[in-house]
Amino acid sequence: MGVQSLYILNKAGGLIYQKDFKPGLNKLSTNDYLVLAGTFHSIHAISSRISPLPSSSGITMVETSRVAIHCFQTLTGIKFLLITDLKQLSPEAVLEKVYQLFADYVMKNPFYQMDMPVRCEIFDRRLNQYLMEVV
């Protein structure tokens, strides 16, 4: 599977969803996940301000020797971070589909409160189902 992990950050940089999809990944503590989300949010905000382009959206991809981190930010400020293998085809399309699933199953849920952690079983199921099809 090309997709390793998914992080969803609220507009303030708080981690509202995290899930690993690749077996065997090192597990971090809850605090480490929160620090990771906050750090990326800060770097993303700084990069959008120092960019020479007037309408820069900040960091959209970071590539390492083993993985790539792809970021999609919505107009409302929610960030979707997708950690993939370097061989993952069209991660932008995957992020758009994840956003669509989020909008359909989380945002339309009358019991979900904005900026709170996502605990939606149907979102988890549909997300897993989609990512298994992408492979």
Side-chain angles (χ1 to χ4, degrees):
M1 175 183 287
V3 174
Q4 294 187 8
S5 300
L6 172 69
Y7 296 79
I8 302 176
L9 286 61
N10 64 21
K11 62 185 171 192
L15 183 66
I16 59 173
Y17 185 84
Q18 188 281 324
K19 186 160 186 177
D20 294 327
F21 297 98
K22 189 171 186 177
L25 292 176
N26 291 335
K27 295 293 179 194
L28 300 175
S29 70
T30 303
N31 192 47
D32 288 339
Y33 285 122
L34 295 171
V35 168
L36 179 76
T39 302
F40 186 86
H41 173 76
S42 298
I43 292 171
H44 186 273
I46 291 168
S47 70
S48 66
R49 289 188 182 146
I50 64 172
S51 173
L53 301 174
S55 62
S56 175
S57 63
I59 295 173
T60 57
M61 187 188 74
V62 176
E63 189 174 306
T64 71
S65 61
R66 294 187 178 178
V67 298
I69 303 171
H70 305 273
C71 178
F72 172 72
Q73 182 173 346
T74 67
L75 293 175
T76 59
I78 296 174
K79 290 179 195 65
F80 293 83
L81 302 179
L82 192 68
I83 300 176
T84 67
D85 295 335
L86 296 175
K87 298 177 256 177
Q88 175 66 38
L89 299 175
S90 63
E92 295 83 11
V94 174
L95 280 168
E96 287 178 18
K97 179 64 175 180
V98 169
Y99 174 48
Q100 179 185 359
L101 292 170
F102 180 80
D104 287 345
Y105 297 107
V106 176
M107 297 307 291
K108 293 178 183 176
N109 181 345
F111 300 108
Y112 178 70
Q113 295 179 357
M114 286 293 292
D115 298 332
M116 296 304 292
V118 175
R119 288 177 178 54
C120 183
E121 185 179 323
I122 192 165
F123 173 68
D124 283 331
R125 275 190 278 128
R126 298 294 179 160
L127 182 62
N128 284 331
Q129 181 182 32
Y130 169 69
L131 291 177
M132 291 300 156
E133 292 172 2
V134 170
V135 176

